[in-house]
Amino acid sequence: MGAFQWLMKRITKIFGHSTNGLFYTLLYREILKEVNEITNNEEESLIILREIGKKAALESCERHSNIFKFMPGNPKKVLDYFEVLWVVVFGRELDEYNYEEIHKEGSKYNDYVLKISKCPICAGYGDNIEDTFEFNKLNDNKSEGLACGLCGMLESVANYILKIKRNDYRIQIIEQDCITKGGNCLQFICKIHDYNEWKELMASNIQQKKVLKKFFKESIEEEEIVQETKLDIFDKLQDFISIDKLDEYLNEPLETIKDKVRDFIKDKLNMDPEHFFDYFRNYEDDMIRIIGYLGTHLLNEYGGLLEKFLKNEWFAKIFGYIFKQLKEMTLLFIPLDVIRDYNELLVNFLKGLAPIEMVENVKKFTGKDTITYIFEGAQIALENLGIDFSELKENVWEELKAERENGLVSSETSTIDRTREKVPQIISIIQQFLMIINDILTLPIRVLISESHYGLKTAINSVISEEEGLYGSIRERFDNIFDQIQEIRK
Amino acid sequence: MNFSRKELIETDATMNQMRNAVYVLVRLMEKNKIQNSKERLRKMGQNIARTYINYWKPTEVVTLANLKDVITTIYQKILNSTVSIEINEVDKLLNVQDYRCALCKYHYDDLEIAGCEVLLGLVSEYVTLISNESSESSSVFLEPYEIVESRAYGNKKCLQVFKYKIRKEG
């Protein structure tokens, strides 16, 4: 699984409210039954259920639009990331599935058929007397199956991503085979249409439009693509940094990344890199602070997750303590050679991009200076994002003690118990973060050694395997952190 | 071989879209002049409980002594919610406060029905089904009473109220 898929799956699972899978499936069944109470027509009910799925997913997408800004904006890639779409919509892993690409003559994109061997929506349908929606009453063989609502959700999310990425293609997802209806698997066909084709397709579906108008009492039209003229810096950055390209970046050597930075500065800022960096000449310390500041804000721009995370008072405090500890411990425990490696990495990065005089000035910084400036910049950014450093105690243990003594936590037994239950998870999160920091500290020397020959990925992985290397180790630790956060959120 | 419903109990699913879907359904009901949409939502919850209980049962007996624990377990295992519960023995009411209701999160100006009406039906039916099967004379039976507060109404929490009665009291 690529880094992007892994990251998206973990993030969406953490920030969604999850319930038991059976409750989800039964609620879905009940919605269909209620729709059928209104329509008294099974075929019309499935059309309405699909529309309910579409509307429900669109509402979610609009509420969390920032997350989708960093999803891939190419229709084929959206389908490549179907597994992620499934997790976004359904909140659970896609168990076993396979793809088939069907060549479409004269079209830019082919059709895709997806076969999913296990469908949670169909699970056990017909085993209980409350399963009263009768699929045998369906006469139209073009009717979809039980997962049509889910299909509507998937289609809505896929098209929302394309819309927000200003792509003028749209994806149509149709349920072709349904286990409840007697099929062997859940089968979707995904067709990619250009926007005009899509509009024609929507207009030609008279039966569907009639049903939707009859019951929703409104005509349901896809809104026109409005090409936004005002692009913010992060819209521009998406062309350069996109989390779906994480794997690509990891495969590229430092020189290639420098080339990309050079091209980016030229294309987007219309400046020569040397001219750009010249602005910071004699203010190199501020430039390094800005790296810390912007780095932190850039992290937050991936869906505003950091800011959302820090809105929670507890998480903000935990993060604040980790940051404080990191700031103090870095200089105490990390060998100066390691810090020098980092400095050398920065100097190597600036060589060829920045004026020689500036590179010479940066060379004069000790490793300690560089680290201090980066932390100063990052701290300002974290204050902007919600950590009140002035309120933090000397260390996390005093914080835990104080919370219990000063009566901030409710005296109700269950609340105290719940708070206590969370302490092991909080400690575990702190531990995992500290281990990640240790892992990362070994990175620069690897990068320096491998930069001229191999990609960053070589530096990040061990000679044994990706799973056992630094990348695998960091990913495992983040998996643990995500698990602990999920536990706390329960 | 597809999943069984028993297997689904071991899994989690994200509710965001399904929660929204409940409100789209309520709008659909209103547009189609369904008068008793509150009761319809409760009925949905009751149907869910009738199926669910075939695959999982928190206990064999529900009495006033374990009522709070049973309700807490149902909310935790099915809905992933941690609730606080108060019993009002004078009016025979059970108040459940849920700060992270699975079916209510956002305030909808255009609706006057909370999604957690479904939960009122689900939880009351679950307890009633357990007590129906039990021969214990002090078994408790629950009925949906009302949603006093809901995040869907703009409140900070959902306050779901159930009416209870004890078998021996008739």
Side-chain angles (χ1 to χ4, degrees):
Chain A
M1 192 198 307
F4 167 71
Q5 276 112 318
W6 167 78
L7 194 63
M8 281 307 289
K9 278 162 109 170
R10 297 306 319 230
I11 288 171
T12 48
K13 282 198 91 164
I14 280 189
F15 289 96
H17 182 126
S18 57
T19 65
N20 186 279
L22 182 56
F23 174 73
Y24 182 102
T25 297
L26 296 178
L27 182 61
Y28 183 100
R29 176 195 73 184
E30 289 303 314
I31 292 175
L32 175 60
K33 284 165 62 183
E34 281 306 315
V35 171
N36 204 46
E37 285 286 321
I38 297 170
T39 64
N40 288 313
N41 177 308
E42 278 68 16
E43 259 120 19
E44 290 181 346
S45 297
L46 293 179
I47 293 172
I48 298 284
L49 183 64
R50 166 182 260 274
E51 190 62 27
I52 289 179
K54 280 169 81 171
K55 283 172 178 277
L58 182 64
E59 188 184 327
S60 274
C61 290
E62 282 173 344
R63 286 191 200 280
H64 306 288
S65 60
N66 279 341
I67 290 177
F68 297 100
K69 273 196 172 180
F70 289 89
M71 290 281 275
N74 171 319
K76 191 174 179 304
K77 272 209 157 179
V78 170
L79 289 175
D80 283 345
Y81 290 112
F82 186 83
E83 212 179 333
V84 179
L85 273 191
W86 181 274
V87 177
V88 170
V89 166
F90 201 58
R92 54 166 296 140
E93 304 289 318
L94 184 55
D95 292 270
E96 294 162 27
Y97 76 104
N98 59 64
Y99 256 88
E100 199 186 320
E101 196 166 344
I102 297 170
H103 181 67
K104 203 159 113 187
E105 200 61 52
S107 177
K108 190 176 173 186
Y109 295 105
N110 292 330
D111 290 345
Y112 295 84
V113 171
L114 278 124
K115 291 181 180 177
I116 299 160
S117 57
K118 290 182 170 188
C119 170
I121 297 290
C122 284
Y125 191 89
D127 292 351
N128 303 96
I129 51 169
E130 293 78 28
D131 301 330
T132 53
F133 184 87
E134 294 175 81
F135 282 89
N136 54 14
K137 283 191 179 171
L138 294 171
N139 296 319
D140 186 351
N141 55 13
K142 280 187 189 161
S143 289
E144 291 184 277
L146 186 54
C148 63
L150 185 66
C151 220
M153 290 179 190
L154 288 166
E155 188 181 283
S156 197
V157 176
N159 287 329
Y160 184 83
I161 294 167
L162 294 177
K163 199 171 129 192
I164 204 167
K165 300 293 281 195
R166 302 181 187 86
N167 187 298
D168 50 6
Y169 279 83
R170 291 291 180 270
I171 297 175
Q172 182 189 21
I173 303 179
I174 306 165
E175 187 187 5
Q176 280 189 321
D177 215 351
C178 164
I179 297 175
T180 300
K181 280 172 77 180
N184 295 322
C185 60
L186 168 61
Q187 185 174 312
F188 294 129
I189 183 159
C190 307
K191 298 178 176 191
I192 302 167
H193 305 277
D194 68 39
Y195 191 62
N196 289 333
E197 222 175 73
W198 173 256
K199 268 173 76 177
E200 281 169 24
L201 183 82
M202 293 294 113
S204 66
N205 209 335
I206 309 233
Q207 162 69 0
Q208 193 176 320
K209 280 175 86 175
K210 231 167 83 180
V211 173
L212 296 179
K213 190 157 189 187
K214 181 175 161 192
F215 294 103
F216 280 104
K217 319 287 180 198
E218 62 192 36
S219 51
I220 289 156
E221 303 287 345
E222 160 98 355
E223 56 185 287
E224 294 276 342
I225 300 173
V226 181
Q227 188 71 37
E228 287 174 44
T229 46
K230 193 175 167 243
L231 302 177
D232 62 27
I233 181 77
F234 294 105
D235 285 322
K236 288 182 182 174
L237 272 177
Q238 282 175 63
D239 299 337
F240 176 67
I241 302 165
S242 176
I243 49 176
D244 65 295
K245 290 180 184 156
L246 268 181
D247 291 318
E248 290 171 31
Y249 297 144
L250 289 174
N251 277 318
E252 287 176 355
L254 191 63
E255 276 308 316
T256 319
I257 293 172
K258 278 167 74 172
D259 286 344
K260 286 204 164 186
V261 172
R262 188 176 291 116
D263 291 345
F264 176 72
I265 296 172
K266 277 183 185 167
D267 290 352
K268 305 292 174 191
L269 305 173
N270 292 321
M271 286 167 109
D272 192 62
E274 203 162 309
H275 183 198
F276 171 75
F277 281 104
D278 201 36
Y279 279 110
F280 298 100
R281 194 151 43 93
N282 299 324
Y283 294 98
E284 288 82 5
D285 52 343
D286 279 340
M287 186 190 77
I288 296 172
R289 283 188 192 99
I290 290 171
I291 292 174
Y293 180 86
L294 281 184
T296 311
H297 271 292
L298 198 60
L299 269 177
N300 181 55
E301 280 311 309
Y302 290 146
L305 296 177
L306 187 56
E307 197 174 359
K308 280 179 193 158
F309 182 76
L310 296 178
K311 265 187 186 161
N312 180 302
E313 193 195 354
W314 262 99
F315 289 157
K317 280 185 177 172
I318 292 170
F319 208 90
Y321 284 114
I322 291 170
F323 183 83
K324 266 180 71 173
Q325 191 173 359
L326 182 64
K327 196 174 163 187
E328 285 160 21
M329 298 301 173
T330 307
L331 293 170
L332 272 178
F333 288 110
I334 302 169
L336 273 177
D337 277 351
V338 176
I339 297 179
R340 262 185 233 119
D341 288 341
Y342 265 105
N343 231 24
E344 205 177 321
L345 186 62
L346 178 67
V347 169
N348 278 15
F349 179 76
L350 289 174
K351 266 183 196 168
L353 286 176
I356 298 168
E357 195 188 326
M358 184 180 184
V359 177
E360 288 305 315
N361 285 344
V362 173
K363 268 187 190 171
K364 284 180 201 156
F365 289 151
T366 64
K368 189 182 169 185
D369 294 334
T370 310
I371 296 285
T372 308
Y373 298 146
I374 287 177
F375 274 117
E376 283 172 2
Q379 182 161 339
I380 297 168
L382 288 172
E383 277 168 3
N384 295 157
L385 294 173
I387 299 181
D388 188 350
F389 283 92
S390 64
E391 279 209 340
L392 297 184
K393 308 267 183 313
E394 264 314 294
N395 60 55
V396 72
W397 313 112
E398 277 183 37
E399 178 75 44
L400 290 172
K401 204 174 135 206
E403 287 274 318
R404 286 179 202 163
E405 282 172 359
N406 66 15
L408 286 176
V409 174
S410 158
S411 58
E412 198 186 329
T413 321
S414 60
T415 313
I416 292 171
D417 286 346
R418 262 177 257 140
T419 312
R420 277 188 188 141
E421 276 167 18
K422 285 176 186 172
V423 171
Q425 274 102 31
I426 292 165
I427 292 169
S428 178
I429 291 172
I430 295 172
Q431 257 177 346
Q432 293 295 334
F433 268 116
L434 292 176
M435 295 304 280
I436 288 170
I437 291 158
N438 284 343
D439 287 343
I440 291 171
L441 291 174
T442 65
L443 180 62
I445 191 66
R446 294 171 190 231
V447 177
L448 286 170
I449 290 167
S450 66
E451 66 167 308
S452 49
H453 304 292
Y454 308 104
L456 275 178
K457 208 166 187 173
T458 315
I460 288 166
N461 295 329
S462 78
V463 286
I464 309 163
S465 73
E466 191 173 293
E467 296 306 314
E468 291 173 49
L470 184 62
Y471 176 67
S473 160
I474 291 177
R475 197 159 131 170
E476 195 185 320
R477 296 196 196 293
F478 269 110
D479 265 328
N480 288 336
I481 290 168
F482 285 134
D483 288 341
Q484 300 300 335
I485 295 175
Q486 252 174 297
E487 279 303 309
I488 289 175
R489 283 177 58 87
K490 280 181 183 175
Chain B
M1 187 73 172
N2 198 13
F3 295 114
S4 69
R5 282 182 169 165
K6 195 159 182 73
E7 281 174 305
L8 287 188
I9 288 187
E10 305 304 321
T11 67
D12 278 345
T14 308
M15 279 304 285
N16 301 26
Q17 284 82 11
M18 281 302 279
R19 182 182 55 225
N20 299 341
V22 171
Y23 291 94
V24 181
L25 174 70
V26 173
R27 284 191 193 99
L28 182 77
M29 286 173 165
E30 290 188 350
K31 282 181 179 169
N32 289 278
K33 308 271 183 282
I34 303 293
Q35 301 294 333
N36 57 343
S37 37
K38 217 176 245 188
E39 284 70 36
R40 301 291 329 161
L41 291 188
R42 290 177 186 179
K43 182 84 186 154
M44 285 167 65
Q46 288 166 350
N47 286 336
I48 293 172
R50 283 183 201 136
T51 304
Y52 208 112
I53 204 161
N54 294 304
Y55 306 98
W56 178 76
K57 215 175 181 182
T59 179
E60 295 300 320
V61 180
V62 190
T63 62
L64 263 190
N66 71 351
L67 182 60
K68 276 187 174 184
D69 291 347
V70 173
I71 304 278
T72 305
T73 311
I74 292 174
Y75 272 87
Q76 208 162 77
K77 298 284 177 194
I78 301 181
L79 305 163
N80 258 340
S81 254
T82 309
V83 292
S84 37
I85 301 167
E86 279 171 19
I87 295 180
N88 173 346
E89 293 193 27
V90 179
D91 300 319
K92 300 225 177 302
L93 295 177
L94 180 92
N95 299 328
V96 177
Q97 278 189 27
D98 190 350
Y99 281 88
R100 278 188 78 227
C101 175
L103 295 180
C104 307
K105 188 170 181 186
Y106 301 107
H107 179 208
Y108 294 102
D109 289 330
D110 61 327
L111 297 175
E112 286 172 3
I113 295 180
C116 55
E117 292 285 351
V118 174
L119 307 186
L120 220 50
L122 167 83
V123 176
S124 58
E125 186 69 6
Y126 226 109
V127 171
T128 299
L129 288 169
I130 295 169
S131 293
N132 276 341
E133 282 187 16
S134 152
S135 53
E136 171 64 45
S137 61
S138 53
S139 288
V140 170
F141 293 81
L142 285 190
E143 273 173 29
Y145 191 67
E146 68 174 325
I147 300 292
V148 178
E149 288 177 35
S150 167
R151 293 165 85 188
Y153 299 153
N155 302 117
K156 279 188 176 166
K157 61 175 186 292
C158 289
L159 177 56
Q160 299 145 9
V161 183
F162 301 85
K163 183 99 182 153
Y164 71 86
K165 60 180 178 193
I166 298 166
R167 177 179 276 152
K168 63 184 174 193
E169 292 173 358

